[in-house]
Amino acid sequence: MSEYLSNKIVLVTGGGGSIGSELCRQIASFSPKELVIVDNYENNAYAIQKELIRKYGNKLNLKTIIASIRE
């Protein structure tokens, strides 16, 4: 997985949900170039964003977008 995710831009839709947030945690451990979290529910997206910032700080290039992929 490291070769597949390391130094790549990775987008996770539904990143604030239970499965999506776990994917974000695991992806972050492989040092992606950028991790983009998309979710339509601000509270969940904010929670995983804060968790990852606490754990990785400036080592993780993280972007969080509140949006619906249906629109």
Side-chain angles (χ1 to χ4, degrees):
M1 281 308 267
S2 179
E3 290 179 22
Y4 185 72
L5 296 171
S6 182
N7 207 28
K8 301 282 177 32
I9 298 172
V10 182
L11 173 91
V12 179
T13 59
S18 59
I19 295 170
S21 61
E22 182 58 31
L23 283 171
C24 290
R25 288 180 194 99
Q26 292 184 27
I27 290 166
S29 70
F30 290 106
S31 302
K33 181 177 183 178
E34 182 176 29
L35 175 57
V36 182
I37 300 171
V38 178
D39 202 289
N40 64 343
Y41 189 58
E42 186 176 1
N43 291 345
N44 288 347
Y46 181 76
I48 189 63
Q49 176 186 14
K50 289 300 175 189
E51 178 184 329
L52 293 174
I53 288 172
R54 271 193 309 274
K55 185 168 184 177
Y56 295 99
N58 292 333
K59 296 179 201 174
L60 179 63
N61 184 8
L62 179 63
K63 184 183 291 183
T64 304
I65 300 170
I66 307 303
S68 172
I69 61 169
R70 296 178 185 172
E71 297 176 11

